[in-house]
Amino acid sequence: MIPAVVEVQVNQEYIDQRVDAKIDEFVRPQMILCSLNRLCKMYDMSMNTFKDNFLHDPRVLIHERTKSSQGKRRFLYEPTIAAIKEIMDEW
């Protein structure tokens, strides 16, 4: 019997996206707050692009929560996502 040769090509970017999507699927229902870094990653934008497009809009800023003036910026998850979708629908 002749042994078979099998080659497998893996698209790492596709696998990373699928894993992130599955994690989001399980984590999203329990999320109350979301960090600015996480929002940038979710929308595949750099920090500067995300700030320019969304953080100057009062519909997003009203959902910001920080513990102190120097604290990490966090946002209420559900209303912030809804506000971002509303802004994107205007593009």
Side-chain angles (χ1 to χ4, degrees), residues 10-87:
V10 177
N11 183 341
Q12 189 63 41
E13 184 177 331
Y14 176 76
I15 291 172
D16 291 343
Q17 289 175 351
R18 295 293 298 162
V19 168
D20 285 344
K22 284 295 182 185
I23 289 171
D24 286 343
E25 184 180 312
F26 290 106
V27 172
R28 184 174 297 154
Q30 293 115 9
M31 285 182 70
I32 296 172
L33 294 174
C34 191
S35 71
L36 184 55
N37 291 335
R38 180 73 173 160
L39 288 169
C40 291
K41 185 176 179 182
M42 286 172 53
Y43 287 96
D44 193 28
M45 294 183 179
S46 70
M47 184 71 73
N48 290 334
T49 303
F50 191 84
K51 286 179 179 179
D52 291 343
N53 287 309
F54 302 114
L55 292 187
H56 297 295
D57 195 304
R59 292 175 285 186
V60 174
L61 290 177
I62 60 172
H63 305 297
E64 183 179 357
R65 303 293 186 264
T66 55
K67 191 170 182 177
S68 65
S69 61
Q70 300 297 320
K72 187 172 182 178
R73 298 174 82 175
R74 299 189 188 277
F75 297 84
L76 296 173
Y77 182 76
E78 291 295 332
T80 301
I81 298 301
I84 290 171
K85 286 180 182 176
E86 185 178 320
I87 293 167

